[in-house]
Each structure stands twice: as C-alpha cells, then as structure tokens.
Amino acid sequence: MKPKIGIIPGDPSGIGPELIARLLTSEGVAEAADILLIGDRHVFEAGQTVADCRFDMVPVTDLTQWADTDGGYALYEMDTIQPEAVKTAEVTEAGGASVLSTLDQALAFAQDGTIDAIVFAPFNKASMHLAGLGHDDELHYMAEKLGVTGYISELNTLDGMWTSRVTSHIALRDVADTISEERVSQAVHLIHNVLRRSGVARPRISVAAINPHAGDGGNFGTEEIDILEPTVRKLAEGQMSVDGPWPSDTVFLKAVAKEIDAVVTMYHDQGQIALKLLGFDRGVTVQGGLPIPVSTPAHGTAFDIAGQGRADVGATRAAFDIACDMVTHWDNET
C-alpha cells in the first residue's frame, strides 16, 4: 500500500503553486504515493503556467475510491479564492483565508483516514493573521484543530540532520527563563520519537548549550549546570542515546560529520541559522507532536521571486519524501 498524501498549494500569492507543479512533475513522485490535491483548480493551474510544466487533475467524486484514479492526480476541488483575488507577491486577507480553508479540509481528511499525511507549500503568516489566524503559527492552529494537548514543536531537517527547539517563537530575552528540565526533556523525547517514525532505529541526539562555551563552568551563566547537565544525565540513564550540553558553535560539526542524528537547540535561530546556511533550498519543517505526519519546505513564500518561474523544488521534494517515510514507519514503538 502506497502512502496517501494530501497536498495543499500554500499561499496562492507566493511560490507554493509553482512548487507543487514542479513536485508533481518530478521523477518518481507519482510512483511513491497516492496523491490527493486539495484546493482550487485555478490555483494549481496557475502554478503549472508559472513552472511551465503540466499534469492532469481528475476531480474526485467518491472519496472512498480517490486513490484508484487513473490518468492524473486526484483533485478535491474547493472554491477558496477567486482568480482575480490572487495578488502575486502580496500579503492579502484573501490569500490567508484560502490557506486556512485548504488546511482545514486537509486536517479533516487526515482525521477521517482519507489521507495518511499532509504536505503543504509555504504559508504566509501575515496573510493568515489578516484572515483571522488566532495563533502564533500554523502548528498551534493545527494542534487545536486536531485536539492535541501535549507537547508540540516545529522540527527541522536537512539531509538527514534534525533539530528540535526547547523554545521557539518567543523573544530572545525570555529564552533563559523559559528553559526547564521538563521542556528540555519534552524536546528530546519529541525528536527521538519523530526520528524513530522516520526509520531511525536508535536516534543519536546532542543537546546544545544556551550560553557561550556551554557556560564556561558557570562563568557565563549557570543554566548548563542547573538545568541542562542534570536533564541530559537523567535522559541518558533512561537508555536514550543523548549527550551534552555542547557549545552551540561546535555541536553542528558533530551533526555534519554524521556522528549524531539530531541537535536539540534552546531557541529558534540557534538551529535555524545552522541548517539554512548548510542548505536553504533543501531544508524541511516537520510539525512535531501531531498525530499525523505534516511536512513543508522550511523556506517561506518567497514573494521576491513569486510568479517568475525561478522557485527551487528541492525542499518541497524533501518534504514529500519525508512525509512518505513517516507514513511507512509511523507504527514504530516510541
């Protein structure tokens, strides 16, 4: 049985529709999964025009049989935005409303088993907030829709290297006060479980320090002594392959050398800068802590090149491949 992947085009004003067109005409994609496109036909068609590539779409009439579609990709047609309301490279309420509508439908399909996983092209948070997004980001929005009350966090991955965050979208001045044994432990367990669900039998995880030189024995802060070292020790005693805290300016050398599979970082940019320097056009964000695999390219809507036919599909293809892998290994014990 092939994975059943639901795909939504992201913000119609950005590069998302172009990326989906490039993805669906990439070698091996059609063979790797049964794909259900969710959204407006004209948005997907506009992406094909920009990308200068074509694929057939077959409207779904029976959602119990959509995976048997021959002659093209199954399309669940929606009417979320009028063609004239699509403003290329602009933040718009209409674009944000389209994103929320397609996302809601994809989540409903995931909940009822119509699809196994979701891949979405980039969203624009400003547009989504104009349309009424009442959360800091799409992860928290999805968690509420799916009834998730446990720990959630965005995870990022590039070429087999993963990161999770103890804190995410908060002010840097608040990071040290937010770090705790519980949050560090949750971040480690989350990425351990996601890696297992991606096919890594025994994930090797390193925890990054928060202070320069890992606090230098307390000279530059005591969070390592008071929180990080005891937490890592307890996790290791629990038979997890975890070490640290390591200075954040060197821990990624271990990851690049393939000595470890993942780095748990203390704040957003600590991991994002490293991954984006290593491969901005290949990075993927996985929505960690949800009951289904959800992935997206780590870059944004790229309004600076929207509509120009220049979007690189690398990260979108990686997001698709990861979603397929996660579906295949989803039943791993965690």
Side-chain angles (χ1 to χ4, degrees):
M1 296 290 290
K2 292 193 292 186
K4 297 180 292 184
I5 308 295
I7 294 180
I8 57 178
D11 193 305
S13 297
I15 61 173
E18 176 190 351
L19 290 173
I20 298 307
R22 295 192 185 282
L23 171 68
L24 297 182
T25 54
S26 297
E27 183 178 357
V29 168
E31 293 76 25
D34 292 321
I35 294 171
L36 177 63
L37 301 177
I38 303 165
D40 301 60
R41 174 181 284 273
H42 70 86
V43 172
F44 289 113
E45 290 175 342
Q48 295 176 59
T49 299
V50 174
D52 193 23
C53 54
R54 297 288 181 269
F55 58 86
D56 292 327
M57 293 180 285
V58 180
V60 171
T61 56
D62 182 357
L63 282 169
T64 66
Q65 300 293 326
W66 71 265
D68 296 329
T69 299
D70 291 323
Y73 292 107
L75 170 66
Y76 180 80
E77 290 194 65
M78 299 183 67
D79 184 17
T80 71
I81 186 170
Q82 294 301 305
E84 61 271 16
V86 178
K87 307 296 183 183
T88 301
E90 292 185 22
V91 172
T92 67
E93 180 181 346
S98 176
V99 163
L100 292 175
S101 294
T102 56
L103 179 58
D104 285 350
Q105 187 60 69
L107 292 171
F109 282 155
Q111 285 181 296
D112 68 19
T114 300
I115 57 176
D116 301 318
I118 299 170
V119 175
F120 64 88
F123 296 162
N124 185 284
K125 289 183 178 60
S127 295
M128 294 169 73
H129 280 108
L130 286 177
L133 177 67
H135 301 74
D136 290 337
D137 52 40
E138 60 269 21
L139 173 57
H140 288 81
Y141 178 85
M142 287 187 276
E144 182 179 286
K145 288 284 184 178
L146 296 171
V148 175
T149 58
Y151 183 78
I152 57 173
S153 176
E154 286 186 349
L155 309 178
N156 291 98
T157 180
L158 170 74
D159 298 342
M161 180 194 315
W162 289 72
T163 66
S164 68
R165 312 168 192 160
V166 177
T167 69
S168 189
H169 297 127
I170 67 171
L172 188 57
R173 68 171 66 245
D174 298 328
V175 169
D177 291 337
T178 306
I179 291 171
S180 65
E181 177 181 338
E182 179 183 17
R183 290 184 66 90
V184 173
S185 180
Q186 288 173 328
V188 172
H189 277 99
L190 179 61
I191 201 162
H192 177 271
N193 293 347
V194 170
L195 277 164
R196 282 186 51 80
R197 285 176 162 175
S198 300
V200 180
R202 181 168 171 76
R204 301 164 299 169
I205 302 167
S206 287
V207 174
I210 182 174
N211 295 302
H213 305 293
D216 191 40
N219 290 321
F220 307 144
T222 63
E223 286 80 9
E224 286 77 17
I225 295 172
D226 297 337
I227 301 172
L228 299 182
E229 291 175 5
T231 303
V232 170
R233 186 165 54 251
K234 288 181 182 179
L235 291 168
E237 289 171 354
Q239 305 305 307
M240 295 183 73
S241 179
V242 57
D243 57 27
W246 297 89
S248 60
D249 59 355
T250 59
V251 67
F252 279 93
L253 298 177
K254 290 162 56 67
V256 171
K258 304 296 184 183
E259 297 172 7
I260 56 174
D261 302 300
V263 178
V264 174
T265 62
M266 296 298 110
Y267 55 93
H268 182 279
D269 288 0
Q270 195 176 45
Q272 290 291 79
I273 290 172
L275 288 189
K276 289 185 177 181
L277 279 173
L278 288 168
F280 182 79
D281 59 350
R282 303 191 308 280
V284 174
T285 298
V286 173
Q287 310 297 323
L290 301 182
I292 55 167
V294 181
S295 62
T296 186
H299 58 69
T301 46
F303 281 174
D304 57 322
I305 62 169
Q308 299 177 28
R310 297 167 49 198
D312 189 319
V313 76
T316 305
R317 176 60 190 266
F320 172 80
D321 290 341
I322 286 171
C324 292
D325 286 343
M326 290 184 73
V327 170
T328 301
H329 297 95
W330 195 252
D331 290 332
N332 277 353
E333 295 181 6
T334 54

